[in-house]
């Protein structure tokens, strides 16, 4: 069974940093690209970042470019999101989601990040 | 402002049929496959339809998808109260090098 489990969320002050993790299981992690997607309270889905299976290709949304850094460790079946210079508008549930090239299929349960001012 | 455009809400009675539209452009829907997700309250999005009109095995055939040009449609027949959820469309945007989503449509089964 494909599973993605996010962790690392919590309460952080504006301007602070946080590192999210996503643990993958049930599939060959090293063969898939993965994404980070977030959802602010009561709002829709916002794609944040894509990282290819071998980390050679990385994309970011303009809203986080220069502040967030995505990385992965295929030996540990893990995905990471380093978030710096956090703003109030970064408050959201953060999901990792598997990329099947033609679609994003499996999603984790999400981890809540709250940025206080 | 979402790149893909969906109606904010739709509603219909149990047993009836409803459609949800998703409008984009040549750089996303017009050049890519469309994916649909169902998000029940308090849960993560769940894959409902991929590659425009393919259902994961666990999704009943009451759900269908179609695409024409730069628009896509999700159809749900035989509506049940358990179908009440937010529905999102998504596609890869080749100009943005990004996955883009619609703003979501809240389905109410009256």
């Amino acid at each position: 069974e494909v599973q993605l489990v996010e962790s690392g969320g919590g309460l952080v002050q504006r301007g602070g940093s946080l590192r999210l993790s996503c643990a993958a299981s049930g599939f060959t992690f090293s063969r898939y690209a993965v994404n980070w997607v977030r959802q602010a309270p009561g709002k829709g889905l916002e794609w944040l970042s894509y990282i290819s299976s071998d980390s050679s290709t990385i994309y970011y949304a303009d809203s986080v470019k220069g502040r967030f850094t995505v990385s992965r460790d295929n030996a540990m079946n893990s995905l990471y999101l380093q978030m710096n210079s956090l703003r109030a508008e970064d408050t959201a549930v953060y999901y990792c989601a598997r990329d099947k090239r033609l679609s994003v299929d499996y999603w984790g349960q999400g981890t809540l990040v709250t940025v206080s001012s | 402002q979402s790149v893909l455009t969906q109606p904010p809400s739709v509603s219909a009675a149990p047993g009836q049929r409803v459609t949800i539209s998703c409008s984009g452009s040549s750089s996303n829907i017009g050049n890519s496959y469309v994916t649909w997700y169902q998000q029940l309250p308090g849960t993560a999005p769940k894959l409902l339809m991929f590659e425009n009109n393919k259902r994961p095995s666990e999704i009943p055939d009451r759900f269908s998808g179609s695409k024409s040009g730069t628009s896509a449609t999700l159809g749900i027949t035989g509506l049940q109260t358990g179908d009440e959820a937010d529905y999102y469309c998504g596609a890869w945007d080749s100009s943005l090098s990004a996955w883009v989503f619609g703003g979501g449509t809240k389905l109410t089964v009256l």
Side-chain angles (χ1 to χ4, degrees):
Chain A
E1 179 194 4
V2 172
Q3 280 200 316
L4 296 164
V5 179
E6 302 90 341
S7 61
L11 179 63
V12 61
Q13 286 195 331
R14 185 177 56 187
S17 298
L18 212 54
R19 189 194 195 209
L20 305 184
S21 299
C22 172
S25 61
F27 66 102
T28 305
F29 181 69
S30 61
R31 292 183 182 175
Y32 288 85
V34 271
N35 297 271
W36 285 102
V37 181
R38 71 184 176 186
Q39 187 170 34
K43 302 296 184 182
L45 303 174
E46 180 188 12
W47 172 85
L48 300 178
S49 183
Y50 163 100
I51 183 168
S52 62
S53 58
D54 63 357
S55 304
S56 61
T57 300
I58 291 175
Y59 300 119
Y60 295 101
D62 286 344
S63 59
V64 304
K65 200 175 294 182
R67 300 189 300 125
F68 290 12
T69 302
V70 64
S71 62
R72 65 189 293 165
D73 184 337
N74 286 343
M76 296 293 289
N77 292 332
S78 293
L79 172 73
Y80 307 101
L81 186 67
Q82 177 66 43
M83 305 187 296
N84 298 330
S85 304
L86 283 163
R87 308 165 180 167
E89 54 265 36
D90 294 320
T91 294
V93 174
Y94 285 71
Y95 298 101
C96 60
R98 192 178 77 166
D99 196 304
K100 248 183 75 173
R101 198 165 67 84
L102 300 180
S103 65
V104 174
D105 56 0
Y106 287 94
W107 299 60
Q109 87 289 348
T111 187
L112 176 63
V113 172
T114 304
V115 182
S116 68
S117 52
Chain B
Q1 191 83 359
S2 301
V3 174
L4 306 182
T5 302
Q6 298 180 235
S9 63
V10 296
S11 62
Q16 295 299 304
R17 178 179 183 265
V18 71
T19 60
I20 298 173
S21 61
C22 175
S23 178
S25 69
S26 58
S27 64
N28 41 67
I29 293 179
N31 193 35
S32 177
Y33 288 100
V34 177
T35 306
W36 288 93
Y37 304 95
Q38 178 192 62
Q39 186 175 34
L40 297 169
T43 68
K46 173 186 174 182
L47 182 66
L48 199 62
M49 200 74 54
F50 64 99
E51 293 177 26
N52 302 332
N53 56 12
K54 296 179 182 178
R55 284 177 291 106
S57 58
E58 68 272 19
I59 302 300
D61 60 6
R62 299 188 297 108
F63 294 86
S64 63
S66 64
K67 184 189 111 169
S68 178
T70 59
S71 294
T73 302
L74 175 71
I76 311 173
T77 60
L79 277 172
Q80 302 173 1
T81 55
D83 296 331
E84 284 202 336
D86 292 324
Y87 292 82
Y88 293 90
C89 59
W92 178 257
D93 191 299
S94 55
S95 293
L96 298 173
S97 293
W99 286 104
V100 293
F101 298 101
T105 298
K106 183 176 182 61
L107 169 63
T108 302
V109 180
L110 302 167

